[in-house]
Amino acid sequence: MSTMTDIDRALKAKHRAMWALGDYPAVAADVVGSLGPVLVAACGLRPGDRVLDVAAGSGNAAIPAARAGASVVASDLTPELLAAGQQRAEREGLRLQWRQADAEELPFGDGEFDTVLSCLGVMFAPHHQASADELVRVCRPGGSIGLLNWTPEGFIGQMFATMRPYAPPPPPGAQPPPLWGREDHIRSLLGDRVTEVTAQRGTVRIDMFARPEDFRDYFKASYGPTIAAYRGIAADPQRTAALDTELADLARRHDRGTGSTVMDWEYLLVTARRQP
Ligand SMILES: C[S@@+](CC[C@H](N)C(=O)[O-])C[C@H]1O[C@@H](n2cnc3c(N)ncnc32)[C@H](O)[C@@H]1O
């Protein structure tokens, strides 16, 4: 039985609408498309494994998992993204199940999956302990959990910190996504229900933008959370201009390119085994 309050329901509806803005499938394919395969490789999937991708979006990790021969369920809050992922998988001749689901209330049985993974996904569900409990619950004893999340001090963590003052405050109890990029936070969420925890930081090189402003304009047009931040201040040209400057400056500070923009965006990759 759902324990969700009306405030939670409204927040989830807002999140669902936000992730459908712009063109997240393009962001997944063009900007962070290499990270799904990184996570899948770290999970050591075997053909026939039952895999759940939580907050799968358009299948950045689910599709490579299916390519590796796993039997995959891709779940996400946002049906528009699942539909885009399904089309992409069908073009490749891959069969997966696509299922709308909230990471905090997964519609799956206890221990149903050999591997439960989430790439840049579960971090965006607002109640961290509730989602972590669900990841553990649906993983079979001895099965594996794999998570790839932006770190708070890495580029995307800093992008969220930059946008925060421009957005309305989150409702009480909603936690900031980049906390999932801290090893101590994940260890405490999963607790002694898991063993063999590994954690390593990595970076993904982003070199598709000629200038810092091109990064900003792309995210402003394509990435739901950035579009939503701008929509909230659309009536205020000064704040809009200030956010424009701050986002381009953030990219400039991370730019290690000469001639065109090159950034290394940091993530934390965690694997764990559910206690047998
Ligand atoms: C940055 S995208 C990542 C998508 C995909 N895993 C990838 O690597 O491209 C974040 C995803 O989290 C999903 N999401 C946000 N809140 C969620 C929730 N409470 N339950 C399930 N999915 C959620 C969004 O719909 C979106 O698809």
Side-chain angles (χ1 to χ4, degrees):
M1 199 186 64
S2 175
T3 54
M4 219 188 280
T5 64
D6 287 347
I7 293 172
D8 286 340
R9 256 185 286 278
L11 180 63
K12 300 297 171 63
K14 196 171 141 192
H15 284 176
R16 198 160 62 222
M18 178 183 81
W19 285 106
L21 294 172
D23 191 352
Y24 185 76
V27 177
D30 300 338
V31 187
V32 295
S34 60
L35 294 180
V38 166
L39 176 59
V40 167
C43 290
L45 301 185
R46 285 168 308 195
D49 279 357
R50 296 159 306 162
V51 172
L52 175 66
D53 184 357
V54 176
S58 46
N60 192 18
I63 289 176
R67 239 182 249 138
S71 165
V72 181
V73 179
S75 67
D76 196 277
L77 193 63
T78 309
E80 292 86 343
L81 299 182
L82 294 173
Q86 185 166 11
Q87 282 174 10
R88 187 179 146 214
E90 279 168 6
R91 280 196 297 274
E92 259 196 67
L94 293 168
R95 288 178 68 84
L96 297 80
Q97 272 187 56
W98 300 88
R99 183 93 182 257
Q100 186 177 7
D102 183 343
E104 297 177 6
E105 281 190 343
L106 292 171
F108 307 110
D110 296 356
E112 228 182 271
F113 297 95
D114 300 303
T115 296
V116 180
L117 51 82
S118 187
C119 179
L120 313 173
V122 72
M123 64 184 294
F124 291 103
H127 305 104
H128 295 188
Q129 192 62 61
S131 319
D133 291 350
E134 285 295 80
L135 300 178
V136 174
R137 182 183 66 77
V138 301
C139 183
R140 72 163 167 80
S144 59
I145 295 173
L147 303 167
L148 191 150
N149 297 309
W150 299 122
T151 62
E153 52 288 331
F155 182 82
I156 294 292
Q158 288 301 302
M159 184 186 80
F160 277 96
T162 302
M163 295 192 309
R164 196 166 305 130
Y166 295 90
Q175 293 172 280
L179 270 183
W180 278 89
R182 278 179 32 189
E183 181 182 342
D184 60 343
H185 186 64
I186 295 194
R187 280 184 184 272
S188 123
L189 291 174
L190 299 176
D192 60 8
R193 297 170 297 180
V194 298
T195 177
E196 298 176 36
V197 178
T198 71
Q200 68 184 88
R201 286 170 190 251
T203 55
V204 55
R205 176 147 289 196
I206 306 296
D207 57 8
M208 64 180 280
F209 303 111
R211 303 169 310 142
E213 289 76 11
D214 296 330
F215 147 76
R216 177 200 61 209
D217 293 344
Y218 180 94
F219 266 58
K220 216 173 149 175
S222 305
Y223 189 68
T226 310
I227 298 169
Y230 274 99
R231 284 196 178 174
I233 55 173
D236 187 336
Q238 277 183 342
R239 295 191 81 210
T240 300
L243 183 55
D244 271 349
T245 303
E246 285 200 47
L247 286 179
D249 283 351
L250 175 70
R252 221 179 316 282
R253 285 198 300 280
H254 281 75
D255 185 3
R256 37 181 72 230
T258 47
S260 98
T261 296
V262 177
M263 298 178 278
D264 291 323
W265 293 359
E266 188 184 60
Y267 59 81
L268 179 73
L269 174 60
V270 171
T271 62
R273 185 163 302 286
R274 187 175 164 189
Q275 287 283 9

